[in-house]
Amino acid sequence: MAMAVTQTLEQGGQLVVEAGTGVGKTYAYLVPVLLSGQRALVSTATKALQDQLFSRDIPRLVEVLGLPIRVALLKGRSNYLCLHRMEQARHSAESAQPGAQRALAKIETWSQATRTGDMAELTGLDERSSLWPLVTSTRDNCLGSSCPRYRACHVNLARKEAMASDVVVINHHLFFADMAVRESGVAELLPTVRVTVFDEAHQLNEIGVNFLGKQLSTVQLLELSRDVLATGLQLARGLVDWHALTDRLEKSSRDLRLAAGMHRGSVRLRWTETLPEGVEGSEWTPALQNVLQALAQLQSGLETVAELAPDFQRLLERACELSQKADLFSKAPDPEGVRWAEVSAQLRLVESPLDIAQAFSALTRPVQAPLVLDDEANDPESIQALMAGDPRHGSDPQAPQGSGVGQRAWIFTSATLGDEPSLRWFTEPCGLTSAQVMQVTSPFDYALQAALYVPDHLPKPGDPGHAGHVAQLVVEAVELLGGRTLVLTTTLNAMRAIGEYLQTRLDPAANVEVLVQGQSPKRRLMERFREGAGDGRAGCVLVASASFWEGFDVPGDALQLVVIDKLPFPPPGDPLFEARSQRVTREGRSAFADHALPEAAVALKQGAGRLIRSETDRGVLVVCDTRLTTMSYGRRLVRGLPEMRRLSGHAEFLSTLRQFTTDATS
């Protein structure tokens, strides 16, 4: 993998690498990038991996390689303390809540000492806190160069540092935010580089679709109302009836949410001509018009005071932007994209492209024809010489035309990029059909370290009692193992049902703590699970869905059993999935074989990847869905998994778990 990355850095172009667990893909791309002498962006999907790259991996390599390289970490705007908003926070309604003044005092004290303003440094304040948005900024409410604290702004200082650095560690959200502002003609957020690496690249398409689309949410409307009221009362009390204007916007926003109907949990509603499916037009249309009228009145009020302070000018711009979006959603959707309403406690209206292929292929398209290095430069000895430590090799800015220097290099890597050698699941929606593709298999001995069990005694996955039977199997296994179990579900309903069953039915003598996603912050759940049993602690079973299917790394004996309740096919009623399926059908292909099945294969592969994380790990993967063995497509799904040995029945499954317990105590 490192040799392929090196060649791409020299020649330019696109390289897509699926690197199995344990390959060491981080070092395989970092070493060539650092030695190349080229300016580079390294983008990840999560802030956790960002911090790991910046604080551990890159510094370690820079020290070992002895390179004079300047590295910067850059996160999205809302991850940094906003000094101006912090100063205004004590005047907000939220500051009157119990404990808020004490928390604000802690933030203010920390603000005097922090160099970066990165909110991750501040312990005790969760992102879900109501104070977080009061002391950070967003693209909507940032005042930009008009801000009175512009020179001291932590975001701007972080960007200046990034612009002067050799390697900048970012995340995918920030990359697409930069794409959006460049297209709008605003100054870019990120430096121009020759090398861009996307780790955790499998998330690129979904993240990009969100950024390239248009959104209007009741959260945006209510936040605008809150900010207008706080700023108006502080800077222009008595000049405008701020309470009347903001009360009307709040009421119209809440009425729009109510017009979308009552739904349990979070649901996505398809869009018809001018409204979400199943929603009464007699309620929806006037509710949306009331939002437009409330925004228009708010704009009029803000126009009268816009010259008093830059805060009012930005609030006016926000009101205009939201009015334009509300007007968009009052009209028919774009036939080239997909539109839906996401309904939960709040309401979010979304119109997006089906994928990022068009925008991304234009971005990564070579500016000149691909140039090929001569045979001497391409041979293994030459590449190994580069790896041995000559940072100038292939990066001379005065290199001759034939060297390939000057053409951008794009590296995409992840442990899961598809279920076939072409990696089409990833390359097609990202517009990378001409990229060089390679797969690097895991060095782990899965046949020795892991086993696959598909229980044949469970009801079909559509049976109402399926979750209960899965929970019974988990109870039996957990009581044998003393915890050490991760249960991954495909729905929140199944997660809640299985979690509740375990919390009420597990024998207290088993000394097992049941953790359920949503009952504690995600970071705390992961930390507690990794602690495992010992030193008076109980063993753990974690029941989770959604984000725990990937990026949850538990090497060692704390995890030896992964139970997946059903094959993770996309929900059939999801508007984005349906729109993509319809496009596949129009192209003459099978919506199931060419879209739904690859999606399920990749998700199953990600879930299974939680099990074996080191060369000494051992464990069992249980897939509680008989379709894996009874349906013809099950063979394709199994082929996408690591080559584990198969357990033939329930007795062998329990015997294997007992062996784990015996080995642990011997």
Coordinates of all heavy atoms in Angstrom, one line a residue, residues 171-240:
N171 N -11.4 17.2 8.8 CA -12.4 16.2 8.7 C -13.2 16.4 7.4 O -13.1 17.5 6.8 CB -13.3 16.1 10.0 CG -14.0 17.4 10.3 OD1 -14.7 18.0 9.4 ND2 -13.8 17.9 11.5
H172 N -13.9 15.4 7.1 CA -14.7 15.4 5.8 C -15.7 16.6 5.8 O -15.9 17.2 4.7 CB -15.4 14.1 5.5 CG -14.5 12.9 5.5 ND1 -13.2 13.0 5.3 CD2 -14.8 11.6 5.6 CE1 -12.7 11.7 5.3 NE2 -13.6 10.9 5.5
H173 N -16.3 16.9 6.9 CA -17.3 18.0 7.0 C -16.6 19.3 6.6 O -17.2 20.1 5.8 CB -17.9 18.1 8.4 CG -18.7 16.9 8.7 ND1 -18.2 15.7 9.3 CD2 -20.1 16.7 8.7 CE1 -19.2 14.9 9.5 NE2 -20.3 15.4 9.2
L174 N -15.4 19.5 7.1 CA -14.7 20.7 6.8 C -14.3 20.8 5.4 O -14.3 21.9 4.8 CB -13.5 20.9 7.8 CG -12.8 22.2 7.7 CD1 -13.7 23.4 8.1 CD2 -11.6 22.2 8.7
F175 N -13.9 19.7 4.8 CA -13.5 19.6 3.4 C -14.7 20.1 2.5 O -14.5 20.9 1.6 CB -13.1 18.2 3.0 CG -12.6 18.1 1.6 CD1 -11.3 18.5 1.2 CD2 -13.5 17.8 0.6 CE1 -10.9 18.4 -0.1 CE2 -13.2 17.7 -0.7 CZ -11.9 18.0 -1.1
F176 N -15.9 19.5 2.8 CA -17.0 19.9 1.9 C -17.5 21.3 2.2 O -18.0 22.0 1.3 CB -18.1 18.9 2.1 CG -17.9 17.6 1.4 CD1 -17.5 16.5 2.1 CD2 -18.0 17.5 0.0 CE1 -17.3 15.3 1.4 CE2 -17.7 16.4 -0.7 CZ -17.4 15.2 0.0
A177 N -17.3 21.8 3.5 CA -17.6 23.2 3.8 C -16.7 24.1 3.0 O -17.2 25.1 2.4 CB -17.5 23.4 5.3
D178 N -15.5 23.7 2.8 CA -14.5 24.5 2.0 C -14.9 24.5 0.5 O -14.9 25.5 -0.1 CB -13.1 23.9 2.2 CG -12.1 24.7 1.4 OD1 -11.9 25.9 1.7 OD2 -11.5 24.1 0.4
M179 N -15.4 23.3 0.1 CA -15.9 23.2 -1.3 C -17.0 24.2 -1.5 O -17.1 24.9 -2.6 CB -16.4 21.8 -1.6 CG -15.4 20.9 -2.2 SD -16.1 19.3 -2.7 CE -17.2 19.8 -4.0
A180 N -17.9 24.3 -0.6 CA -19.1 25.1 -0.7 C -18.8 26.6 -0.7 O -19.3 27.4 -1.6 CB -20.1 24.8 0.5
V181 N -17.8 27.0 0.1 CA -17.5 28.5 0.1 C -16.7 28.9 -1.1 O -16.8 30.0 -1.6 CB -16.8 28.9 1.5 CG1 -17.7 28.6 2.6 CG2 -15.5 28.2 1.6
R182 N -15.8 27.9 -1.6 CA -15.1 28.3 -2.8 C -16.0 28.5 -4.0 O -15.8 29.4 -4.8 CB -14.1 27.1 -3.1 CG -12.9 27.1 -2.2 CD -11.9 26.0 -2.5 NE -10.9 25.8 -1.5 CZ -9.6 26.0 -1.7 NH1 -9.2 26.3 -2.9 NH2 -8.7 25.8 -0.8
E183 N -17.1 27.6 -4.0 CA -18.0 27.7 -5.1 C -18.8 29.0 -5.0 O -19.2 29.6 -6.0 CB -18.9 26.5 -5.2 CG -18.3 25.2 -5.6 CD -19.2 24.0 -5.5 OE1 -20.4 24.2 -5.1 OE2 -18.7 22.9 -5.9
S184 N -19.0 29.5 -3.8 CA -19.8 30.8 -3.6 C -18.9 32.0 -3.8 O -19.5 33.1 -3.7 CB -20.4 30.8 -2.2 OG -19.4 30.8 -1.2
G185 N -17.6 31.8 -4.0 CA -16.8 33.0 -4.2 C -16.2 33.6 -3.0 O -15.4 34.5 -3.0
V186 N -16.5 33.0 -1.8 CA -15.9 33.4 -0.6 C -14.5 32.9 -0.4 O -14.2 31.8 -1.0 CB -16.8 33.0 0.6 CG1 -16.3 33.5 1.9 CG2 -18.2 33.5 0.4
A187 N -13.6 33.5 0.4 CA -12.3 33.1 0.6 C -12.3 31.6 1.1 O -13.1 31.3 2.0 CB -11.6 34.0 1.5
E188 N -11.4 30.8 0.7 CA -11.4 29.4 1.1 C -11.0 29.3 2.5 O -10.4 30.1 3.2 CB -10.4 28.6 0.2 CG -8.9 29.1 0.4 CD -8.5 30.1 -0.6 OE1 -9.4 30.8 -1.2 OE2 -7.3 30.4 -0.8
L189 N -11.5 28.1 3.1 CA -11.2 27.8 4.5 C -9.9 27.1 4.6 O -9.2 27.1 5.7 CB -12.3 26.9 5.1 CG -13.8 27.4 4.9 CD1 -14.7 26.4 5.4 CD2 -13.9 28.7 5.6
L190 N -9.5 26.3 3.6 CA -8.3 25.4 3.7 C -7.2 25.9 2.7 O -7.5 26.5 1.7 CB -8.8 24.0 3.3 CG -9.9 23.4 4.1 CD1 -10.3 22.0 3.6 CD2 -9.5 23.3 5.6
P191 N -6.0 25.5 3.0 CA -4.9 25.9 2.1 C -5.0 25.0 0.8 O -5.5 23.9 0.8 CB -3.6 25.5 2.9 CG -4.1 24.5 3.9 CD -5.5 24.9 4.2
T192 N -4.4 25.6 -0.3 CA -4.3 24.8 -1.5 C -3.1 23.9 -1.4 O -2.0 24.3 -1.0 CB -4.1 25.8 -2.7 OG1 -5.3 26.6 -2.8 CG2 -4.0 25.0 -4.0
V193 N -3.3 22.6 -1.7 CA -2.3 21.6 -1.5 C -2.2 20.7 -2.8 O -3.1 20.8 -3.6 CB -2.6 20.7 -0.3 CG1 -2.6 21.5 1.0 CG2 -3.9 19.9 -0.5
R194 N -1.1 20.0 -2.8 CA -1.0 19.0 -4.0 C -1.4 17.6 -3.6 O -1.8 16.8 -4.5 CB 0.5 19.0 -4.4 CG 0.7 18.1 -5.6 CD 2.1 18.1 -6.1 NE 2.2 17.1 -7.2 CZ 2.5 15.8 -7.0 NH1 2.7 15.3 -5.8 NH2 2.5 15.0 -8.0
V195 N -1.5 17.3 -2.3 CA -1.8 16.0 -1.9 C -3.0 16.0 -0.9 O -3.0 16.8 0.1 CB -0.6 15.3 -1.2 CG1 -1.0 13.9 -0.6 CG2 0.6 15.2 -2.1
T196 N -4.0 15.2 -1.2 CA -5.2 15.1 -0.3 C -5.4 13.7 0.0 O -5.5 12.8 -0.9 CB -6.4 15.7 -0.9 OG1 -6.2 17.1 -1.2 CG2 -7.6 15.7 0.1
V197 N -5.5 13.3 1.3 CA -5.7 12.0 1.8 C -7.0 11.9 2.5 O -7.3 12.7 3.4 CB -4.6 11.4 2.7 CG1 -4.9 10.0 3.1 CG2 -3.3 11.5 2.0
F198 N -7.9 11.0 2.1 CA -9.2 10.8 2.8 C -9.1 9.4 3.6 O -9.2 8.4 2.9 CB -10.4 10.8 1.9 CG -10.6 12.1 1.3 CD1 -10.2 12.4 0.0 CD2 -11.3 13.1 2.0 CE1 -10.4 13.7 -0.6 CE2 -11.6 14.4 1.4 CZ -11.1 14.6 0.1
D199 N -8.9 9.5 4.9 CA -9.1 8.2 5.7 C -10.5 8.1 6.0 O -11.3 9.1 6.0 CB -8.2 8.3 6.9 CG -7.9 7.0 7.5 OD1 -8.6 6.0 7.2 OD2 -6.9 6.9 8.3
E200 N -11.0 6.9 6.4 CA -12.4 6.6 6.6 C -13.2 7.2 5.4 O -14.3 7.8 5.6 CB -12.9 7.3 7.9 CG -12.2 6.8 9.1 CD -12.6 7.5 10.4 OE1 -12.5 8.7 10.4 OE2 -13.0 6.8 11.4
A201 N -12.7 6.9 4.2 CA -13.3 7.4 3.0 C -14.7 6.9 2.7 O -15.4 7.5 1.9 CB -12.4 7.1 1.8
H202 N -15.1 5.8 3.3 CA -16.4 5.2 3.0 C -17.5 6.2 3.4 O -18.7 6.0 2.9 CB -16.6 3.9 3.8 CG -16.5 4.0 5.3 ND1 -15.3 4.1 6.0 CD2 -17.5 4.1 6.2 CE1 -15.6 4.2 7.2 NE2 -16.9 4.2 7.4
Q203 N -17.3 7.2 4.2 CA -18.3 8.1 4.6 C -18.4 9.3 3.7 O -19.3 10.2 3.9 CB -18.1 8.5 6.1 CG -18.3 7.4 7.1 CD -18.4 8.0 8.5 OE1 -18.9 9.0 8.7 NE2 -17.9 7.2 9.5
L204 N -17.5 9.4 2.8 CA -17.5 10.6 1.9 C -18.8 11.0 1.3 O -19.2 12.1 1.3 CB -16.4 10.5 0.9 CG -15.0 11.0 1.2 CD1 -14.0 10.8 0.1 CD2 -15.0 12.5 1.6
N205 N -19.4 10.0 0.6 CA -20.6 10.3 -0.2 C -21.7 10.8 0.7 O -22.3 11.8 0.3 CB -21.0 9.0 -0.9 CG -22.2 9.3 -1.9 OD1 -22.2 10.3 -2.6 ND2 -23.2 8.5 -1.8
E206 N -22.0 10.2 1.8 CA -23.1 10.6 2.6 C -22.9 12.0 3.2 O -23.8 12.8 3.3 CB -23.4 9.6 3.7 CG -23.9 8.2 3.2 CD -25.0 8.3 2.2 OE1 -26.0 9.1 2.5 OE2 -25.0 7.7 1.1
I207 N -21.6 12.2 3.7 CA -21.3 13.5 4.2 C -21.4 14.6 3.2 O -21.9 15.7 3.4 CB -19.9 13.5 4.9 CG1 -19.9 12.6 6.1 CG2 -19.5 14.9 5.3 CD1 -18.6 12.4 6.7
G208 N -20.9 14.3 2.0 CA -20.9 15.2 0.9 C -22.3 15.6 0.4 O -22.6 16.8 0.1
V209 N -23.2 14.6 0.4 CA -24.5 14.8 -0.1 C -25.2 15.9 0.9 O -26.0 16.7 0.4 CB -25.3 13.5 -0.1 CG1 -26.8 13.7 -0.1 CG2 -25.0 12.7 -1.4
N210 N -25.0 15.7 2.2 CA -25.5 16.7 3.1 C -25.1 18.1 2.9 O -25.8 19.1 3.0 CB -25.2 16.3 4.5 CG -26.1 15.2 5.1 OD1 -27.3 15.1 4.7 ND2 -25.6 14.3 5.9
F211 N -23.8 18.3 2.5 CA -23.2 19.6 2.3 C -23.6 20.2 1.0 O -23.8 21.4 0.9 CB -21.7 19.6 2.5 CG -21.2 19.8 3.9 CD1 -21.0 18.8 4.7 CD2 -21.0 21.1 4.3 CE1 -20.6 19.0 6.0 CE2 -20.6 21.4 5.6 CZ -20.4 20.3 6.5
L212 N -23.8 19.4 0.0 CA -24.1 19.9 -1.3 C -25.6 20.2 -1.5 O -26.0 20.8 -2.5 CB -23.6 18.9 -2.4 CG -22.1 18.6 -2.5 CD1 -21.8 17.5 -3.5 CD2 -21.4 19.9 -2.8
G213 N -26.4 19.7 -0.6 CA -27.8 19.9 -0.6 C -28.2 21.2 0.0 O -27.4 22.0 0.5
K214 N -29.5 21.4 0.1 CA -30.1 22.6 0.8 C -31.0 22.1 1.9 O -31.7 21.2 1.8 CB -30.9 23.4 -0.2 CG -30.1 24.0 -1.4 CD -31.0 24.7 -2.4 CE -30.2 25.3 -3.5 NZ -29.6 24.2 -4.4
Q215 N -30.9 22.8 3.1 CA -31.7 22.4 4.2 C -32.3 23.6 4.9 O -31.8 24.7 5.0 CB -30.7 21.7 5.2 CG -30.0 20.5 4.7 CD -29.2 19.8 5.7 OE1 -29.5 19.9 6.9 NE2 -28.1 19.1 5.3
L216 N -33.5 23.3 5.5 CA -34.2 24.3 6.3 C -34.7 23.5 7.5 O -35.4 22.5 7.3 CB -35.4 24.9 5.6 CG -36.3 25.8 6.4 CD1 -35.5 27.1 6.9 CD2 -37.6 26.2 5.7
S217 N -34.4 23.9 8.7 CA -34.8 23.2 9.9 C -35.5 24.2 10.9 O -35.2 25.4 10.9 CB -33.7 22.5 10.6 OG -32.8 23.4 11.2
T218 N -36.4 23.6 11.7 CA -37.0 24.4 12.8 C -35.9 24.8 13.8 O -36.0 25.8 14.5 CB -38.1 23.6 13.5 OG1 -37.6 22.3 13.9 CG2 -39.3 23.5 12.6
V219 N -34.8 24.0 13.9 CA -33.7 24.4 14.8 C -33.1 25.7 14.3 O -32.8 26.6 15.1 CB -32.6 23.3 14.8 CG1 -31.4 23.8 15.5 CG2 -33.2 22.1 15.5
Q220 N -32.9 25.9 13.0 CA -32.3 27.1 12.5 C -33.2 28.3 12.7 O -32.8 29.4 13.1 CB -32.1 27.0 10.9 CG -31.0 26.0 10.5 CD -31.0 25.8 9.0 OE1 -32.0 25.5 8.4 NE2 -29.9 26.1 8.4
L221 N -34.5 28.1 12.6 CA -35.5 29.1 12.8 C -35.6 29.6 14.2 O -35.6 30.7 14.6 CB -36.9 28.7 12.3 CG -37.0 28.4 10.8 CD1 -38.3 27.7 10.5 CD2 -36.9 29.7 10.0
L222 N -35.6 28.6 15.1 CA -35.6 28.9 16.6 C -34.3 29.5 17.1 O -34.4 30.4 17.9 CB -35.9 27.6 17.4 CG -37.3 27.0 17.1 CD1 -37.5 25.7 17.8 CD2 -38.4 28.0 17.6
E223 N -33.2 29.1 16.5 CA -31.9 29.7 16.9 C -31.9 31.2 16.4 O -31.4 32.0 17.2 CB -30.8 28.9 16.4 CG -30.5 27.6 17.1 CD -29.3 26.9 16.6 OE1 -28.8 27.2 15.5 OE2 -28.8 25.9 17.2
L224 N -32.4 31.4 15.2 CA -32.4 32.8 14.8 C -33.3 33.6 15.7 O -33.0 34.8 16.1 CB -33.0 32.8 13.3 CG -33.3 34.2 12.8 CD1 -31.9 35.0 12.7 CD2 -33.9 34.2 11.4
S225 N -34.5 33.1 16.0 CA -35.4 33.8 16.9 C -34.7 34.1 18.3 O -34.8 35.3 18.8 CB -36.6 33.0 17.2 OG -37.5 33.6 18.1
R226 N -34.0 33.1 18.8 CA -33.3 33.3 20.1 C -32.2 34.4 20.0 O -32.1 35.3 20.9 CB -32.7 32.0 20.5 CG -31.9 32.0 21.9 CD -31.0 30.8 22.0 NE -30.0 30.9 21.0 CZ -29.2 29.8 20.7 NH1 -29.5 28.6 21.2 NH2 -28.3 29.9 19.8
D227 N -31.4 34.3 18.9 CA -30.4 35.3 18.8 C -30.9 36.7 18.5 O -30.3 37.7 19.0 CB -29.4 34.9 17.6 CG -28.6 33.6 17.9 OD1 -28.6 33.2 19.1 OD2 -28.0 33.0 17.0
V228 N -31.9 36.8 17.8 CA -32.5 38.2 17.5 C -33.0 38.8 18.8 O -32.8 40.0 19.1 CB -33.7 38.1 16.5 CG1 -34.5 39.4 16.5 CG2 -33.1 37.8 15.1
L229 N -33.7 38.0 19.6 CA -34.3 38.5 20.9 C -33.1 38.9 21.8 O -33.2 40.0 22.4 CB -35.1 37.4 21.6 CG -35.8 37.8 22.9 CD1 -36.7 39.0 22.7 CD2 -36.5 36.7 23.5
A230 N -32.1 38.1 22.0 CA -31.0 38.4 22.9 C -30.3 39.7 22.4 O -30.0 40.6 23.2 CB -30.1 37.2 23.0
T231 N -30.0 39.7 21.1 CA -29.2 40.9 20.6 C -30.1 42.1 20.6 O -29.6 43.2 20.9 CB -28.7 40.6 19.2 OG1 -28.0 39.3 19.2 CG2 -27.9 41.7 18.6
G232 N -31.3 42.0 20.2 CA -32.2 43.2 20.2 C -32.4 43.8 21.6 O -32.3 45.0 21.7
L233 N -32.6 43.0 22.6 CA -32.8 43.5 23.9 C -31.5 44.1 24.5 O -31.5 45.0 25.3 CB -33.3 42.4 24.9 CG -34.7 41.9 24.6 CD1 -35.1 40.8 25.5 CD2 -35.7 43.0 24.6
Q234 N -30.4 43.6 24.1 CA -29.1 44.1 24.6 C -28.6 45.3 23.9 O -28.1 46.3 24.5 CB -28.0 43.0 24.4 CG -26.6 43.4 25.0 CD -25.6 42.4 24.7 OE1 -25.8 41.3 24.2 NE2 -24.3 42.7 25.1
L235 N -28.8 45.4 22.6 CA -28.3 46.5 21.8 C -29.3 47.5 21.3 O -28.9 48.6 20.9 CB -27.4 46.0 20.6 CG -26.3 45.0 20.9 CD1 -25.6 44.5 19.6 CD2 -25.3 45.7 21.8
A236 N -30.6 47.2 21.2 CA -31.5 48.1 20.7 C -32.9 47.9 21.4 O -33.9 47.9 20.7 CB -31.7 47.9 19.2
R237 N -32.8 47.9 22.7 CA -34.1 47.7 23.5 C -35.0 48.9 23.3 O -34.5 50.1 23.3 CB -33.7 47.6 25.0 CG -35.0 47.3 25.8 CD -34.6 47.3 27.3 NE -33.7 46.2 27.6 CZ -34.2 45.0 28.1 NH1 -35.5 44.8 28.2 NH2 -33.4 44.0 28.4
G238 N -36.2 48.7 23.0 CA -37.2 49.7 22.8 C -37.3 50.3 21.4 O -38.3 51.0 21.1
L239 N -36.4 50.0 20.5 CA -36.4 50.5 19.1 C -37.3 49.6 18.3 O -37.9 50.1 17.3 CB -35.0 50.5 18.5 CG -34.0 51.5 19.2 CD1 -32.7 51.5 18.5 CD2 -34.6 52.9 19.3
V240 N -37.5 48.4 18.6 CA -38.3 47.4 17.9 C -39.0 46.5 18.9 O -38.4 46.2 19.9 CB -37.5 46.6 16.9 CG1 -38.3 45.5 16.2 CG2 -36.8 47.5 15.8

